[in-house]
Amino acid sequence: MTAMTDAGDLPAHGVLPARIDVPGLEVRTWGESDVDDLAEAVRESLEHLRPWMPWIAQEPLPRHERRDLIVRWERERLAGRDAVYAILRGGRVVGGTGAHHRGAPDGLEIGYWLRPDAQGAGIVTSVVRGLTTALLALPGITHVEIRMDEANARSAAVPPRCGYRLVDRQTRPPEAPAESGQVLLWRIGQDPTPAGPDPSP
């Protein structure tokens, strides 16, 4: 099911880790056996996430599509691309996080979500700290970023608790119902490596 990738095709950091060390939690890649637990967590979070997460508009996914999505996530991770992780507490799925290639090649971006009943316990803060530490330890990764809409105050409270600094405000069309279109960009580590000159004549 998993496509093979030549080592030479991988980015400098290689394959993103399958597990992240976070005390008191299990943070790992999703497996096909998680399909029903993921569906339940998303179903219980629909109204909570709908204002902020564009992907919620695709829910509810048929079971086979969710299973295929989990398989694709792992295939892409093994090919050196994004990694998508489950967050579990006491064996129960309480949310998800991920590391994404969305900017300079020496950086990664973190995203996260939680079930409503898991909020307020410091889970996201712990996960972001653990994931940030793991990503900055990778060869070739100099910085990690987090973006969220300025109106999402709960999400915006996480980066400064984890040592991120606010480096920019960007404008884009809203992608979810409650978004203002003003995006906060947080960063930890060095500034991105500038893109080189256009090699085309």
Side-chain angles (χ1 to χ4, degrees):
M1 259 186 201
T2 302
M4 299 300 292
T5 303
D6 292 335
D9 295 335
L10 294 175
H13 61 68
V15 174
L16 294 175
R19 289 183 175 271
I20 304 298
D21 183 21
V22 181
L25 300 169
E26 183 181 3
V27 182
R28 58 160 175 80
T29 51
W30 299 93
E32 291 183 67
S33 62
D34 297 316
V35 62
D36 294 326
D37 290 337
L38 174 56
E40 178 187 88
V42 170
R43 183 171 59 250
E44 292 186 3
S45 306
L46 282 175
E47 298 313 310
H48 163 65
L49 297 177
R50 195 180 305 280
W52 309 112
M53 300 291 181
W55 54 266
I56 284 292
Q58 304 171 25
E59 295 290 343
L61 286 178
R63 190 176 190 277
H64 72 278
E65 289 188 16
R66 197 178 308 278
R67 184 184 62 247
D68 291 346
L69 181 62
I70 288 173
V71 170
R72 187 170 77 246
W73 285 339
E74 182 64 359
R75 183 167 57 240
E76 291 182 351
R77 184 186 71 86
L78 292 174
R81 295 190 284 273
D82 297 357
V84 184
Y85 301 101
I87 304 171
L88 297 94
R89 183 175 60 173
R92 176 178 182 254
V93 172
V94 294
T97 187
H100 308 282
H101 298 80
R102 292 175 178 161
D106 55 342
L108 291 162
E109 181 178 329
I110 290 177
Y112 43 81
W113 63 274
L114 278 185
R115 289 169 99 136
D117 63 3
Q119 289 193 322
I123 292 174
V124 163
T125 299
S126 296
V127 169
V128 168
R129 285 174 176 157
L131 184 53
T132 299
T133 298
L135 296 180
L136 288 176
L138 296 173
I141 296 301
T142 65
H143 65 280
V144 180
E145 297 179 338
I146 302 175
R147 286 176 172 83
M148 77 285 295
D149 192 89
E150 190 170 28
N152 191 348
R154 183 181 286 272
S155 183
V158 174
R161 288 201 295 261
C162 299
Y164 285 72
R165 69 189 193 279
L166 182 63
V167 296
D168 198 11
R169 283 181 167 85
Q170 304 167 343
T171 300
R172 71 178 184 195
E175 297 177 346
E179 289 187 341
S180 68
Q182 300 300 308
V183 178
L184 304 179
L185 171 59
W186 301 83
R187 183 180 300 138
I188 193 169
Q190 304 173 20
D191 289 337
T193 300
D198 187 346
S200 61

